[in-house]
Amino acid sequence: MQHDNLVEIEDVAFDYGARPVLKGINLTAKRGQVIAIMGSSGCGKTTLLRLIGGQIKPRQGTVRVAGESLGELNQAGLYRLRRKMGMLFQFGALFTDMTVFDNVAFQLREHSDLPEDAIRDMVLMKLHAVGLRGAAHLMPSELSGGMARRVALARAIALDPQLVMYDEPFAGLDPISLGITGNLIRRLTDTLGLTSILVTHDVHESLKIVDYVYFVSDGVIVAEGTADDIKASDLPYVHQFVHGEAEGPVTFHYPAAPYVEDLRLGGQSA
Amino acid sequence: MLKQAIERLGNRTLQGVGRIGFAIRFFVAILLHSGTAFRRFGLTIREMYFSGVQSLIIILVSGLFVGMVLGLQGYETLQTYGSEDALGILVAMSLVRELGPVVAALLFASRAGSAITAEIGLMKATEQLSAMEMMAVDPIARVVAPRFWAGVISMPLLAALFSAMGIFGGYLVGVQLIGVDEGSFWSQMQSAVDFEQDILNGVIKSVVFGIAITTIALFEGYDAPPTAEGVSGATTRTVVTSSLAVLALDFVLTAFMFRGLS
Ligand SMILES: Nc1ncnc2c1ncn2[C@@H]1O[C@H](COP(=O)(O)OP(=O)(O)OP(=O)(O)O)[C@@H](O)[C@H]1O
Ligand SMILES: [Mg+2]
């Protein structure tokens, strides 16, 4: 049975030790959509992706992918489900002991019995899509940050997954690669019918390609809507984020004691 | 003051016991996920190249020198009793029973064990292991188990090479340099060294050492905090812990193997 929603997150809370990071998130991603998750640095976006990938378990709430609740799966079930997922890690996470080619070929070799000829063609196609077919023989240490990220993107889509999660795919890209990568994500989603979840800070680039946006702040979704809703929104939070203003409800600082107190300017004798 | 000290001691003990528990579970997990390491033996061979072949030079050179020293020292001692013909026995026995397995294991721990810990620790710190899990590939089966079996297979081979080089070194010094009778050097050695009692026990020792070193090295890497200090600390701990483990296990094994031997 085909579910309309590929990813459903209901009332999910997660703590790192005693520190609550997510406090009740509701989010759905329909098949064939590009979803963006935005929020200030450290608000728990990467954590949210790890929850969808089943790498960490929520303290409360359920995460369902393709109709299956991750909390009820054993390791074999989780691994079966993950074959339908691709993930671009925030820092690339390329295998440093393999060439670019072998990195992209990794899943094909692990999960299929395809002959090496077929693997070669598929890998070169994926590398071509990110513009790095010529870099196939390089080692990850010989790549620039932006190139490594594009290789990681090629690797994430190597198995033609149903769901691809991109953790900041635009970070460290020049304007040209940025536009191309954005279009690539949109095109993959449309032509292969997959679903993309995009974590990004790049409001303008992502609003061009996404269907739906969620804003995370302080552990909850504070705003959501289609790209047009977001552009037109006059919610202070969204307005501040879209226009990059320093003053507003979004706090730039990690929770801390009052500044004056920390600097010992409170007038108390030392 | 005292109460705090006792609390700290208790805490540390609990942590230590907890870690041993984790390490044992980790060891069992490796055994349970070893299928891939044998089905795709190429993976294991590759790791044998990294940990085994690359330790070869240090093992061979050290073996030669240890054997040469044994030749000198053994001759000194035996000569006082007029039994320098038994030099072959002394050199071979010391190497096959003790020095081969133990010294090769200590060298392996510092050459290959530390490298394994650093590699696994860095793979974890750079999220390569997470990435592998997200690709539905179990890192224990794909990364850890092949390294484990490579170490377990390499260790006895390296110990054997160490002993062989050592015997050659003893021969060089004893026979070629000092002039012990070549015939009695070899023939006494052959008649005295027993296959089961000496060689097999030596092999068993080095297999046990191989298991201990690779398990410790892999566990330290897998358990390392994902930072530069975390990985460097884990690397040091690998060398210290596995060296101590080798020496302690050697005592236990020797006590069982050669108990009551006249
Ligand atoms: N392994 C961890 N242990 C403890 N705390 C963590 C851990 N990983 C993340 N955190 C904390 O959880 C919070 C959310 O982290 P997360 O990585 O999800 O942020 P993010 O939204 O992806 O930020 P960025 O945009 O900077 O990547 C952070 O405040 C961080 O301090
Ligand atoms: Mg992040």
Side-chain angles (χ1 to χ4, degrees):
Chain A
M1 167 180 121
Q2 282 286 72
H3 294 262
D4 212 25
N5 294 333
L6 188 62
V7 179
E8 292 173 311
I9 296 180
E10 265 170 39
D11 193 29
V12 158
F14 181 83
D15 312 332
Y16 275 115
R19 205 170 93 74
V21 176
L22 302 177
K23 300 174 186 163
I25 297 271
N26 291 290
L27 179 153
T28 49
K30 289 201 175 56
R31 282 178 196 276
Q33 277 192 330
V34 180
I35 299 287
I37 300 173
M38 296 188 195
S40 51
S41 185
C43 71
K45 303 180 297 295
T46 300
T47 308
L48 195 52
L49 291 190
R50 292 168 68 90
L51 282 162
I52 299 173
Q55 291 198 298
I56 48 179
K57 300 255 175 277
R59 171 170 61 75
Q60 150 205 323
T62 52
V63 180
R64 262 195 298 278
V65 177
E68 298 195 69
S69 170
L70 294 189
E72 291 159 18
L73 292 175
N74 58 9
Q75 200 196 9
L78 198 55
Y79 273 19
R80 183 171 38 71
L81 196 59
R82 280 184 188 159
R83 290 193 190 196
K84 300 179 194 161
M85 301 183 194
M87 179 144 167
L88 168 66
F89 278 74
Q90 189 166 4
F91 302 103
L94 293 178
F95 301 130
T96 42
D97 58 341
M98 299 178 195
T99 61
V100 164
F101 183 94
D102 291 336
N103 261 283
V104 180
F106 185 79
Q107 291 185 83
L108 296 167
R109 289 183 179 146
E110 293 291 324
H111 293 316
S112 74
D113 294 321
L114 291 173
E116 199 58 22
D117 280 354
I119 289 180
R120 199 186 109 87
D121 292 350
M122 293 173 75
V123 170
L124 290 182
M125 274 161 59
K126 302 293 180 200
L127 282 173
H128 187 77
V130 297
L132 289 174
R133 188 163 42 86
H137 61 282
L138 295 181
M139 294 303 282
S141 57
E142 298 169 304
L143 302 176
S144 75
M147 285 162 82
R149 191 164 280 283
R150 278 146 72 196
V151 173
L153 178 59
R155 187 178 68 172
I157 55 175
L159 267 193
D160 294 333
Q162 294 182 15
L163 169 66
V164 188
M165 292 178 273
Y166 309 85
D167 201 345
E168 310 206 0
F170 303 132
L173 296 187
D174 60 82
I176 300 168
S177 328
L178 200 143
I180 294 175
T181 308
N183 286 332
L184 174 69
I185 292 174
R186 183 73 246 182
R187 210 174 59 235
L188 284 169
T189 311
D190 294 340
T191 53
L192 301 177
L194 50 81
T195 308
S196 298
I197 299 181
L198 196 67
V199 163
T200 178
H201 294 301
D202 199 308
V203 182
H204 297 285
E205 190 59 37
S206 50
L207 283 185
K208 284 187 215 154
I209 59 162
V210 302
D211 296 306
Y212 207 80
V213 184
Y214 289 92
F215 278 95
V216 181
S217 175
D218 201 21
V220 293
I221 303 283
V222 288
E224 59 181 278
T226 61
D228 292 333
D229 293 348
I230 294 298
K231 278 185 226 159
S233 170
D234 51 4
L235 276 174
Y237 181 91
V238 177
H239 191 82
Q240 186 196 353
F241 212 91
V242 172
H243 298 277
E245 290 157 356
E247 297 301 321
V250 184
T251 48
F252 165 67
H253 295 284
Y254 188 91
Y259 196 28
V260 174
E261 237 171 68
D262 255 3
L263 294 180
R264 308 233 172 94
L265 299 176
Q268 77 272 51
S269 52
Chain B
M1 251 328 240
L2 186 67
K3 188 162 162 259
Q4 274 173 3
I6 293 177
E7 266 174 18
R8 261 208 309 280
L9 187 71
N11 231 327
R12 285 217 149 186
T13 316
L14 280 183
Q15 270 175 14
V17 174
R19 262 174 76 79
I20 293 179
F22 278 128
I24 291 174
R25 268 176 51 189
F26 182 74
F27 177 63
V28 174
I30 295 177
L31 295 185
L32 291 179
H33 292 85
S34 288
T36 312
F38 289 100
R39 240 179 296 117
R40 294 166 58 188
F41 204 63
L43 290 176
T44 307
I45 303 255
R46 193 184 114 98
E47 298 309 326
M48 277 172 74
Y49 172 76
F50 282 118
S51 54
V53 176
Q54 303 206 334
S55 310
L56 209 56
I57 296 290
I58 184 173
I59 293 273
L60 292 180
V61 173
S62 312
L64 185 69
F65 281 117
V66 167
M68 282 161 60
V69 171
L70 273 178
L72 282 177
Q73 295 277 17
Y75 180 80
E76 277 296 311
T77 312
L78 291 175
Q79 182 206 37
T80 14
Y81 304 101
S83 48
E84 56 270 29
D85 284 353
L87 184 64
I89 305 183
L90 184 137
V91 169
M93 286 288 202
S94 338
L95 281 166
V96 172
R97 280 188 180 184
E98 283 299 332
L99 292 174
V102 173
V103 179
L106 294 177
L107 293 171
F108 186 74
S110 46
R111 172 65 182 79
S114 58
I116 290 175
T117 303
E119 190 189 11
I120 303 278
L122 280 175
M123 287 181 85
K124 184 182 165 198
T126 53
E127 292 194 306
Q128 295 180 45
L129 298 182
S130 293
M132 206 174 269
E133 280 178 6
M134 276 307 297
M135 294 183 215
V137 175
D138 182 6
I140 301 268
R142 179 62 172 69
V143 174
V144 174
R147 283 169 174 74
F148 174 78
W149 288 108
V152 173
I153 296 169
S154 305
M155 191 66 264
L157 298 177
L158 290 171
L161 286 170
F162 184 95
S163 296
M165 273 316 267
I167 291 171
F168 178 65
Y171 163 81
L172 277 187
V173 167
V175 176
Q176 299 294 337
L177 200 71
I178 303 179
V180 173
D181 180 55
E182 179 160 4
S184 47
F185 182 89
W186 292 118
S187 65
Q188 294 228 14
M189 185 193 300
Q190 278 183 10
S191 55
V193 176
D194 179 63
F195 178 73
E196 235 169 67
Q197 191 57 251
D198 301 312
I199 302 207
L200 205 60
N201 278 340
V203 171
I204 292 175
K205 273 187 182 179
S206 57
V207 171
V208 173
F209 297 161
I211 293 175
I213 295 169
T214 42
T215 307
I216 291 171
L218 289 164
F219 176 73
E220 287 290 355
Y222 209 77
D223 194 48
T227 59
E229 305 89 68
V231 174
S232 77
T235 310
T236 313
R237 271 202 307 281
T238 291
V239 176
V240 174
T241 318
S242 55
S243 303
L244 288 176
V246 164
L247 295 172
L249 282 169
D250 183 47
F251 173 73
V252 175
L253 290 173
T254 309
F256 274 104
M257 287 171 174
F258 301 103
R259 174 185 46 176
L261 248 171
S262 50

